[in-house]
Amino acid sequence: MGVVLNIENGKREPASIKDLIDLTAADMGRVNELILSKAGSDVEMIPEVANHLISSGGKRLRPMLTLAAAQMFGYAGEGHVKLATAVEFMHTATLLHDDVVDESGMRRGKKTARMIWGNQASVLVGDFLLGQAFRMMVDVGSLEALDILSSAASIIAEGEVMQLAAAKNLETTEDEHFAVIKAKTAALFSAAAEVGPVIAQATRNDRAALRSYGMNLGLAFQLIDDALDYGGTSKDLGKNVGDDFREGKVTLPVILAYRRGTKAERTFWKRAIEDNVTDDAGLEKAIGLMTRHGAIADTIGRARHFGEIARDALAPLEATPQKSALIDVIDFCISRVN
């Protein structure tokens, strides 16, 4: 799972999104131009803060999903470029807001915007980008696409509040955690994938397939991120390894290790997460407990489960290069832990 076997030479080839990048390259060039144009403002600080994050090396996976999904159903207009840009602005805005809420110091190997310009600037520039995103949605003229993306924006905000309400709560259940990541992360993946067939005027079944694909891909993506925080690298994560632990975040590996642990181990988790005793020795112990109780392995297992649901969602659709590339994305997301 997560790798492709090359039968001829017996070597494993890592899963890749190269086909997705190649298929969307021309449209992504236009998206990048539109990003630079729409992030501009006469207010000097706005492009400074926005470009700090926009230019910091993210894969731009979500807008590529929008472009590929529109191409998949033969869309020939200009709207998919504007919607893809709107999706990226929504994602960037949530990162700016997330870093303030989480008091994060690093993002994609660089200081977060809040560390350079402050919390107020980060929140307000995030709001500016959301405003620009909605202007582009309106420009496209599809009420259904506007409804899907605006609903996603509301759901993402709800997810943030749900996470805040559950902060440091070690009694959080697995179902409650899934509700948070479904809202915070998967909702935007789902909307990004669905608006492509919507503007291509695909059938209701086709739209539902891409919506389900995006939702389950987003769940898998976030669960792999949760696992990587305790066993990945800064390059894989786009942030420092152990940040979730240091910020006292109750992610799935923590939930599973806490529930499966002894009384003494649960005391450790309470001291670490609730009392914020999160030094390097604590992180090492946390990883040891997770390994002992299979918490990281089971988190990856659940991610693979959602990946298979995403794959099955696309199964009935006609074979196209875009469909194949979207399936590759599932393997790529999972393979980050290999």
Side-chain angles (χ1 to χ4, degrees), residues 53-87:
L53 188 51
I54 288 168
S55 65
S56 64
K59 292 182 182 66
R60 306 233 163 114
L61 181 57
R62 294 158 188 81
M64 284 195 285
L65 295 182
T66 299
L67 298 173
Q71 291 175 6
M72 192 173 174
F73 298 100
Y75 181 72
E78 300 287 322
H80 64 322
V81 171
K82 290 180 179 177
L83 291 178
T85 307
V87 164

PDB file of all heavy atoms in Angstrom, residues 53-87:
ATOM      1  N   LEU A  53       3.379  33.156   2.787  1.00  0.00           N
ATOM      2  CA  LEU A  53       2.865  31.785   2.894  1.00  0.00           C
ATOM      3  C   LEU A  53       2.644  31.175   1.514  1.00  0.00           C
ATOM      4  O   LEU A  53       2.994  30.017   1.275  1.00  0.00           O
ATOM      5  CB  LEU A  53       1.558  31.773   3.693  1.00  0.00           C
ATOM      6  CG  LEU A  53       0.983  30.407   4.051  1.00  0.00           C
ATOM      7  CD1 LEU A  53       2.032  29.520   4.701  1.00  0.00           C
ATOM      8  CD2 LEU A  53      -0.206  30.558   4.980  1.00  0.00           C
ATOM      9  N   ILE A  54       2.104  31.969   0.576  1.00  0.00           N
ATOM     10  CA  ILE A  54       1.791  31.455  -0.755  1.00  0.00           C
ATOM     11  C   ILE A  54       3.051  30.958  -1.465  1.00  0.00           C
ATOM     12  O   ILE A  54       3.033  29.956  -2.181  1.00  0.00           O
ATOM     13  CB  ILE A  54       1.083  32.540  -1.598  1.00  0.00           C
ATOM     14  CG1 ILE A  54      -0.358  32.753  -1.074  1.00  0.00           C
ATOM     15  CG2 ILE A  54       1.053  32.166  -3.072  1.00  0.00           C
ATOM     16  CD1 ILE A  54      -1.029  33.987  -1.628  1.00  0.00           C
ATOM     17  N   SER A  55       4.175  31.636  -1.246  1.00  0.00           N
ATOM     18  CA  SER A  55       5.410  31.311  -1.964  1.00  0.00           C
ATOM     19  C   SER A  55       6.299  30.329  -1.204  1.00  0.00           C
ATOM     20  O   SER A  55       7.443  30.113  -1.585  1.00  0.00           O
ATOM     21  CB  SER A  55       6.207  32.588  -2.231  1.00  0.00           C
ATOM     22  OG  SER A  55       6.637  33.170  -1.002  1.00  0.00           O
ATOM     23  N   SER A  56       5.773  29.731  -0.139  1.00  0.00           N
ATOM     24  CA  SER A  56       6.640  28.952   0.743  1.00  0.00           C
ATOM     25  C   SER A  56       6.713  27.468   0.405  1.00  0.00           C
ATOM     26  O   SER A  56       7.176  26.665   1.196  1.00  0.00           O
ATOM     27  CB  SER A  56       6.199  29.124   2.197  1.00  0.00           C
ATOM     28  OG  SER A  56       4.901  28.601   2.390  1.00  0.00           O
ATOM     29  N   GLY A  57       6.219  27.087  -0.772  1.00  0.00           N
ATOM     30  CA  GLY A  57       6.511  25.733  -1.242  1.00  0.00           C
ATOM     31  C   GLY A  57       5.471  24.663  -0.996  1.00  0.00           C
ATOM     32  O   GLY A  57       5.793  23.480  -1.044  1.00  0.00           O
ATOM     33  N   GLY A  58       4.224  25.010  -0.744  1.00  0.00           N
ATOM     34  CA  GLY A  58       3.179  23.991  -0.625  1.00  0.00           C
ATOM     35  C   GLY A  58       2.932  23.321  -1.974  1.00  0.00           C
ATOM     36  O   GLY A  58       3.212  23.891  -3.029  1.00  0.00           O
ATOM     37  N   LYS A  59       2.385  22.108  -1.951  1.00  0.00           N
ATOM     38  CA  LYS A  59       2.194  21.355  -3.197  1.00  0.00           C
ATOM     39  C   LYS A  59       1.018  21.869  -4.026  1.00  0.00           C
ATOM     40  O   LYS A  59       0.872  21.538  -5.184  1.00  0.00           O
ATOM     41  CB  LYS A  59       1.975  19.874  -2.876  1.00  0.00           C
ATOM     42  CG  LYS A  59       3.211  19.197  -2.301  1.00  0.00           C
ATOM     43  CD  LYS A  59       2.948  17.716  -2.061  1.00  0.00           C
ATOM     44  CE  LYS A  59       4.160  17.046  -1.430  1.00  0.00           C
ATOM     45  NZ  LYS A  59       4.432  17.550  -0.064  1.00  0.00           N
ATOM     46  N   ARG A  60       0.147  22.658  -3.425  1.00  0.00           N
ATOM     47  CA  ARG A  60      -1.069  23.128  -4.113  1.00  0.00           C
ATOM     48  C   ARG A  60      -1.916  21.948  -4.593  1.00  0.00           C
ATOM     49  O   ARG A  60      -2.449  21.940  -5.700  1.00  0.00           O
ATOM     50  CB  ARG A  60      -0.718  24.055  -5.276  1.00  0.00           C
ATOM     51  CG  ARG A  60       0.172  25.229  -4.850  1.00  0.00           C
ATOM     52  CD  ARG A  60      -0.390  26.577  -5.272  1.00  0.00           C
ATOM     53  NE  ARG A  60       0.264  27.629  -4.511  1.00  0.00           N
ATOM     54  CZ  ARG A  60       1.075  28.557  -5.034  1.00  0.00           C
ATOM     55  NH1 ARG A  60       1.306  28.577  -6.321  1.00  0.00           N
ATOM     56  NH2 ARG A  60       1.610  29.482  -4.274  1.00  0.00           N
ATOM     57  N   LEU A  61      -2.039  20.952  -3.732  1.00  0.00           N
ATOM     58  CA  LEU A  61      -2.782  19.743  -4.079  1.00  0.00           C
ATOM     59  C   LEU A  61      -4.259  20.030  -4.290  1.00  0.00           C
ATOM     60  O   LEU A  61      -4.870  19.537  -5.253  1.00  0.00           O
ATOM     61  CB  LEU A  61      -2.587  18.703  -2.971  1.00  0.00           C
ATOM     62  CG  LEU A  61      -3.263  17.350  -3.149  1.00  0.00           C
ATOM     63  CD1 LEU A  61      -2.830  16.696  -4.455  1.00  0.00           C
ATOM     64  CD2 LEU A  61      -2.938  16.444  -1.962  1.00  0.00           C
ATOM     65  N   ARG A  62      -4.854  20.834  -3.422  1.00  0.00           N
ATOM     66  CA  ARG A  62      -6.298  21.083  -3.492  1.00  0.00           C
ATOM     67  C   ARG A  62      -6.709  21.747  -4.801  1.00  0.00           C
ATOM     68  O   ARG A  62      -7.664  21.283  -5.442  1.00  0.00           O
ATOM     69  CB  ARG A  62      -6.746  21.892  -2.271  1.00  0.00           C
ATOM     70  CG  ARG A  62      -6.593  21.109  -0.957  1.00  0.00           C
ATOM     71  CD  ARG A  62      -6.504  22.041   0.248  1.00  0.00           C
ATOM     72  NE  ARG A  62      -6.165  21.343   1.491  1.00  0.00           N
ATOM     73  CZ  ARG A  62      -4.913  20.990   1.829  1.00  0.00           C
ATOM     74  NH1 ARG A  62      -3.899  21.258   1.022  1.00  0.00           N
ATOM     75  NH2 ARG A  62      -4.690  20.366   2.963  1.00  0.00           N
ATOM     76  N   PRO A  63      -6.039  22.827  -5.233  1.00  0.00           N
ATOM     77  CA  PRO A  63      -6.432  23.394  -6.534  1.00  0.00           C
ATOM     78  C   PRO A  63      -6.192  22.445  -7.702  1.00  0.00           C
ATOM     79  O   PRO A  63      -6.953  22.454  -8.678  1.00  0.00           O
ATOM     80  CB  PRO A  63      -5.576  24.667  -6.662  1.00  0.00           C
ATOM     81  CG  PRO A  63      -4.495  24.546  -5.653  1.00  0.00           C
ATOM     82  CD  PRO A  63      -5.048  23.685  -4.551  1.00  0.00           C
ATOM     83  N   MET A  64      -5.164  21.597  -7.612  1.00  0.00           N
ATOM     84  CA  MET A  64      -4.948  20.622  -8.683  1.00  0.00           C
ATOM     85  C   MET A  64      -6.103  19.627  -8.756  1.00  0.00           C
ATOM     86  O   MET A  64      -6.464  19.170  -9.848  1.00  0.00           O
ATOM     87  CB  MET A  64      -3.612  19.900  -8.492  1.00  0.00           C
ATOM     88  CG  MET A  64      -2.408  20.743  -8.866  1.00  0.00           C
ATOM     89  SD  MET A  64      -0.876  19.779  -9.043  1.00  0.00           S
ATOM     90  CE  MET A  64      -0.470  19.449  -7.329  1.00  0.00           C
ATOM     91  N   LEU A  65      -6.690  19.286  -7.602  1.00  0.00           N
ATOM     92  CA  LEU A  65      -7.865  18.404  -7.604  1.00  0.00           C
ATOM     93  C   LEU A  65      -9.008  19.052  -8.376  1.00  0.00           C
ATOM     94  O   LEU A  65      -9.699  18.394  -9.166  1.00  0.00           O
ATOM     95  CB  LEU A  65      -8.318  18.096  -6.175  1.00  0.00           C
ATOM     96  CG  LEU A  65      -7.389  17.300  -5.271  1.00  0.00           C
ATOM     97  CD1 LEU A  65      -8.050  17.071  -3.911  1.00  0.00           C
ATOM     98  CD2 LEU A  65      -6.986  15.972  -5.898  1.00  0.00           C
ATOM     99  N   THR A  66      -9.227  20.346  -8.139  1.00  0.00           N
ATOM    100  CA  THR A  66     -10.302  21.062  -8.840  1.00  0.00           C
ATOM    101  C   THR A  66     -10.073  21.048 -10.345  1.00  0.00           C
ATOM    102  O   THR A  66     -10.995  20.773 -11.129  1.00  0.00           O
ATOM    103  CB  THR A  66     -10.382  22.518  -8.339  1.00  0.00           C
ATOM    104  OG1 THR A  66     -10.665  22.516  -6.932  1.00  0.00           O
ATOM    105  CG2 THR A  66     -11.466  23.298  -9.064  1.00  0.00           C
ATOM    106  N   LEU A  67      -8.849  21.335 -10.756  1.00  0.00           N
ATOM    107  CA  LEU A  67      -8.525  21.391 -12.188  1.00  0.00           C
ATOM    108  C   LEU A  67      -8.684  20.022 -12.841  1.00  0.00           C
ATOM    109  O   LEU A  67      -9.296  19.896 -13.910  1.00  0.00           O
ATOM    110  CB  LEU A  67      -7.093  21.902 -12.385  1.00  0.00           C
ATOM    111  CG  LEU A  67      -6.808  23.328 -11.877  1.00  0.00           C
ATOM    112  CD1 LEU A  67      -5.318  23.631 -11.985  1.00  0.00           C
ATOM    113  CD2 LEU A  67      -7.621  24.360 -12.653  1.00  0.00           C
ATOM    114  N   ALA A  68      -8.128  18.977 -12.205  1.00  0.00           N
ATOM    115  CA  ALA A  68      -8.194  17.636 -12.784  1.00  0.00           C
ATOM    116  C   ALA A  68      -9.634  17.129 -12.851  1.00  0.00           C
ATOM    117  O   ALA A  68     -10.034  16.493 -13.848  1.00  0.00           O
ATOM    118  CB  ALA A  68      -7.336  16.676 -11.965  1.00  0.00           C
ATOM    119  N   ALA A  69     -10.421  17.429 -11.810  1.00  0.00           N
ATOM    120  CA  ALA A  69     -11.815  16.964 -11.785  1.00  0.00           C
ATOM    121  C   ALA A  69     -12.640  17.657 -12.870  1.00  0.00           C
ATOM    122  O   ALA A  69     -13.533  17.041 -13.465  1.00  0.00           O
ATOM    123  CB  ALA A  69     -12.426  17.211 -10.405  1.00  0.00           C
ATOM    124  N   ALA A  70     -12.351  18.928 -13.150  1.00  0.00           N
ATOM    125  CA  ALA A  70     -13.048  19.634 -14.240  1.00  0.00           C
ATOM    126  C   ALA A  70     -12.634  19.067 -15.598  1.00  0.00           C
ATOM    127  O   ALA A  70     -13.477  18.810 -16.466  1.00  0.00           O
ATOM    128  CB  ALA A  70     -12.751  21.131 -14.162  1.00  0.00           C
ATOM    129  N   GLN A  71     -11.326  18.846 -15.775  1.00  0.00           N
ATOM    130  CA  GLN A  71     -10.829  18.270 -17.037  1.00  0.00           C
ATOM    131  C   GLN A  71     -11.439  16.895 -17.290  1.00  0.00           C
ATOM    132  O   GLN A  71     -11.755  16.534 -18.433  1.00  0.00           O
ATOM    133  CB  GLN A  71      -9.310  18.108 -16.976  1.00  0.00           C
ATOM    134  CG  GLN A  71      -8.496  19.383 -16.980  1.00  0.00           C
ATOM    135  CD  GLN A  71      -7.012  19.083 -16.784  1.00  0.00           C
ATOM    136  OE1 GLN A  71      -6.587  17.930 -16.760  1.00  0.00           O
ATOM    137  NE2 GLN A  71      -6.210  20.134 -16.664  1.00  0.00           N
ATOM    138  N   MET A  72     -11.590  16.138 -16.214  1.00  0.00           N
ATOM    139  CA  MET A  72     -12.065  14.754 -16.283  1.00  0.00           C
ATOM    140  C   MET A  72     -13.417  14.652 -16.994  1.00  0.00           C
ATOM    141  O   MET A  72     -13.715  13.654 -17.663  1.00  0.00           O
ATOM    142  CB  MET A  72     -12.176  14.226 -14.854  1.00  0.00           C
ATOM    143  CG  MET A  72     -12.369  12.750 -14.699  1.00  0.00           C
ATOM    144  SD  MET A  72     -12.269  12.392 -12.911  1.00  0.00           S
ATOM    145  CE  MET A  72     -12.689  10.676 -12.907  1.00  0.00           C
ATOM    146  N   PHE A  73     -14.219  15.699 -16.862  1.00  0.00           N
ATOM    147  CA  PHE A  73     -15.558  15.694 -17.457  1.00  0.00           C
ATOM    148  C   PHE A  73     -15.661  16.658 -18.642  1.00  0.00           C
ATOM    149  O   PHE A  73     -16.735  17.116 -18.996  1.00  0.00           O
ATOM    150  CB  PHE A  73     -16.599  16.014 -16.380  1.00  0.00           C
ATOM    151  CG  PHE A  73     -16.622  14.990 -15.288  1.00  0.00           C
ATOM    152  CD1 PHE A  73     -15.975  15.215 -14.085  1.00  0.00           C
ATOM    153  CD2 PHE A  73     -17.240  13.765 -15.474  1.00  0.00           C
ATOM    154  CE1 PHE A  73     -15.967  14.264 -13.073  1.00  0.00           C
ATOM    155  CE2 PHE A  73     -17.246  12.797 -14.480  1.00  0.00           C
ATOM    156  CZ  PHE A  73     -16.597  13.046 -13.273  1.00  0.00           C
ATOM    157  N   GLY A  74     -14.502  16.970 -19.226  1.00  0.00           N
ATOM    158  CA  GLY A  74     -14.481  17.715 -20.486  1.00  0.00           C
ATOM    159  C   GLY A  74     -14.743  19.197 -20.376  1.00  0.00           C
ATOM    160  O   GLY A  74     -15.136  19.837 -21.370  1.00  0.00           O
ATOM    161  N   TYR A  75     -14.543  19.793 -19.213  1.00  0.00           N
ATOM    162  CA  TYR A  75     -14.794  21.225 -19.068  1.00  0.00           C
ATOM    163  C   TYR A  75     -13.820  22.030 -19.926  1.00  0.00           C
ATOM    164  O   TYR A  75     -12.620  21.750 -19.930  1.00  0.00           O
ATOM    165  CB  TYR A  75     -14.667  21.651 -17.606  1.00  0.00           C
ATOM    166  CG  TYR A  75     -14.945  23.118 -17.381  1.00  0.00           C
ATOM    167  CD1 TYR A  75     -16.250  23.613 -17.481  1.00  0.00           C
ATOM    168  CD2 TYR A  75     -13.920  24.014 -17.125  1.00  0.00           C
ATOM    169  CE1 TYR A  75     -16.514  24.957 -17.300  1.00  0.00           C
ATOM    170  CE2 TYR A  75     -14.175  25.362 -16.938  1.00  0.00           C
ATOM    171  CZ  TYR A  75     -15.474  25.833 -17.022  1.00  0.00           C
ATOM    172  OH  TYR A  75     -15.739  27.177 -16.855  1.00  0.00           O
ATOM    173  N   ALA A  76     -14.338  23.028 -20.644  1.00  0.00           N
ATOM    174  CA  ALA A  76     -13.502  23.781 -21.582  1.00  0.00           C
ATOM    175  C   ALA A  76     -13.519  25.289 -21.328  1.00  0.00           C
ATOM    176  O   ALA A  76     -12.985  26.061 -22.122  1.00  0.00           O
ATOM    177  CB  ALA A  76     -13.969  23.507 -23.021  1.00  0.00           C
ATOM    178  N   GLY A  77     -14.115  25.719 -20.215  1.00  0.00           N
ATOM    179  CA  GLY A  77     -14.190  27.155 -19.940  1.00  0.00           C
ATOM    180  C   GLY A  77     -13.018  27.666 -19.128  1.00  0.00           C
ATOM    181  O   GLY A  77     -11.944  27.045 -19.069  1.00  0.00           O
ATOM    182  N   GLU A  78     -13.245  28.808 -18.463  1.00  0.00           N
ATOM    183  CA  GLU A  78     -12.207  29.448 -17.647  1.00  0.00           C
ATOM    184  C   GLU A  78     -12.503  29.325 -16.144  1.00  0.00           C
ATOM    185  O   GLU A  78     -11.636  29.612 -15.326  1.00  0.00           O
ATOM    186  CB  GLU A  78     -12.133  30.951 -17.991  1.00  0.00           C
ATOM    187  CG  GLU A  78     -11.789  31.253 -19.433  1.00  0.00           C
ATOM    188  CD  GLU A  78     -10.328  30.959 -19.736  1.00  0.00           C
ATOM    189  OE1 GLU A  78      -9.473  31.229 -18.873  1.00  0.00           O
ATOM    190  OE2 GLU A  78     -10.057  30.439 -20.833  1.00  0.00           O
ATOM    191  N   GLY A  79     -13.714  28.909 -15.809  1.00  0.00           N
ATOM    192  CA  GLY A  79     -14.151  28.949 -14.414  1.00  0.00           C
ATOM    193  C   GLY A  79     -13.339  28.081 -13.480  1.00  0.00           C
ATOM    194  O   GLY A  79     -13.174  28.411 -12.299  1.00  0.00           O
ATOM    195  N   HIS A  80     -12.812  26.947 -13.987  1.00  0.00           N
ATOM    196  CA  HIS A  80     -12.076  26.039 -13.101  1.00  0.00           C
ATOM    197  C   HIS A  80     -10.803  26.689 -12.556  1.00  0.00           C
ATOM    198  O   HIS A  80     -10.377  26.393 -11.441  1.00  0.00           O
ATOM    199  CB  HIS A  80     -11.765  24.717 -13.798  1.00  0.00           C
ATOM    200  CG  HIS A  80     -10.862  24.794 -14.979  1.00  0.00           C
ATOM    201  ND1 HIS A  80     -10.899  25.826 -15.886  1.00  0.00           N
ATOM    202  CD2 HIS A  80      -9.867  23.953 -15.394  1.00  0.00           C
ATOM    203  CE1 HIS A  80      -9.982  25.619 -16.810  1.00  0.00           C
ATOM    204  NE2 HIS A  80      -9.338  24.492 -16.526  1.00  0.00           N
ATOM    205  N   VAL A  81     -10.203  27.600 -13.334  1.00  0.00           N
ATOM    206  CA  VAL A  81      -8.991  28.296 -12.871  1.00  0.00           C
ATOM    207  C   VAL A  81      -9.341  29.223 -11.706  1.00  0.00           C
ATOM    208  O   VAL A  81      -8.624  29.267 -10.693  1.00  0.00           O
ATOM    209  CB  VAL A  81      -8.340  29.082 -14.027  1.00  0.00           C
ATOM    210  CG1 VAL A  81      -7.206  29.977 -13.515  1.00  0.00           C
ATOM    211  CG2 VAL A  81      -7.819  28.119 -15.094  1.00  0.00           C
ATOM    212  N   LYS A  82     -10.452  29.938 -11.826  1.00  0.00           N
ATOM    213  CA  LYS A  82     -10.874  30.841 -10.744  1.00  0.00           C
ATOM    214  C   LYS A  82     -11.280  30.051  -9.503  1.00  0.00           C
ATOM    215  O   LYS A  82     -10.952  30.445  -8.374  1.00  0.00           O
ATOM    216  CB  LYS A  82     -12.034  31.728 -11.215  1.00  0.00           C
ATOM    217  CG  LYS A  82     -11.616  32.765 -12.242  1.00  0.00           C
ATOM    218  CD  LYS A  82     -12.783  33.628 -12.680  1.00  0.00           C
ATOM    219  CE  LYS A  82     -12.323  34.674 -13.685  1.00  0.00           C
ATOM    220  NZ  LYS A  82     -13.449  35.483 -14.189  1.00  0.00           N
ATOM    221  N   LEU A  83     -11.981  28.938  -9.700  1.00  0.00           N
ATOM    222  CA  LEU A  83     -12.391  28.138  -8.548  1.00  0.00           C
ATOM    223  C   LEU A  83     -11.187  27.488  -7.871  1.00  0.00           C
ATOM    224  O   LEU A  83     -11.130  27.414  -6.634  1.00  0.00           O
ATOM    225  CB  LEU A  83     -13.398  27.068  -8.970  1.00  0.00           C
ATOM    226  CG  LEU A  83     -14.777  27.578  -9.388  1.00  0.00           C
ATOM    227  CD1 LEU A  83     -15.658  26.420  -9.826  1.00  0.00           C
ATOM    228  CD2 LEU A  83     -15.454  28.361  -8.269  1.00  0.00           C
ATOM    229  N   ALA A  84     -10.218  27.033  -8.655  1.00  0.00           N
ATOM    230  CA  ALA A  84      -9.005  26.449  -8.083  1.00  0.00           C
ATOM    231  C   ALA A  84      -8.239  27.491  -7.269  1.00  0.00           C
ATOM    232  O   ALA A  84      -7.708  27.189  -6.191  1.00  0.00           O
ATOM    233  CB  ALA A  84      -8.119  25.876  -9.185  1.00  0.00           C
ATOM    234  N   THR A  85      -8.194  28.711  -7.777  1.00  0.00           N
ATOM    235  CA  THR A  85      -7.524  29.798  -7.053  1.00  0.00           C
ATOM    236  C   THR A  85      -8.283  30.109  -5.767  1.00  0.00           C
ATOM    237  O   THR A  85      -7.675  30.334  -4.710  1.00  0.00           O
ATOM    238  CB  THR A  85      -7.420  31.058  -7.930  1.00  0.00           C
ATOM    239  OG1 THR A  85      -6.808  30.716  -9.177  1.00  0.00           O
ATOM    240  CG2 THR A  85      -6.588  32.140  -7.255  1.00  0.00           C
ATOM    241  N   ALA A  86      -9.599  30.111  -5.845  1.00  0.00           N
ATOM    242  CA  ALA A  86     -10.417  30.350  -4.653  1.00  0.00           C
ATOM    243  C   ALA A  86     -10.162  29.271  -3.604  1.00  0.00           C
ATOM    244  O   ALA A  86     -10.044  29.567  -2.401  1.00  0.00           O
ATOM    245  CB  ALA A  86     -11.901  30.383  -5.028  1.00  0.00           C
ATOM    246  N   VAL A  87     -10.046  28.021  -4.040  1.00  0.00           N
ATOM    247  CA  VAL A  87      -9.761  26.910  -3.125  1.00  0.00           C
ATOM    248  C   VAL A  87      -8.414  27.134  -2.437  1.00  0.00           C
ATOM    249  O   VAL A  87      -8.282  26.962  -1.216  1.00  0.00           O
ATOM    250  CB  VAL A  87      -9.778  25.562  -3.891  1.00  0.00           C
ATOM    251  CG1 VAL A  87      -9.107  24.467  -3.084  1.00  0.00           C
ATOM    252  CG2 VAL A  87     -11.208  25.168  -4.229  1.00  0.00           C
TER     253      VAL A  87
END
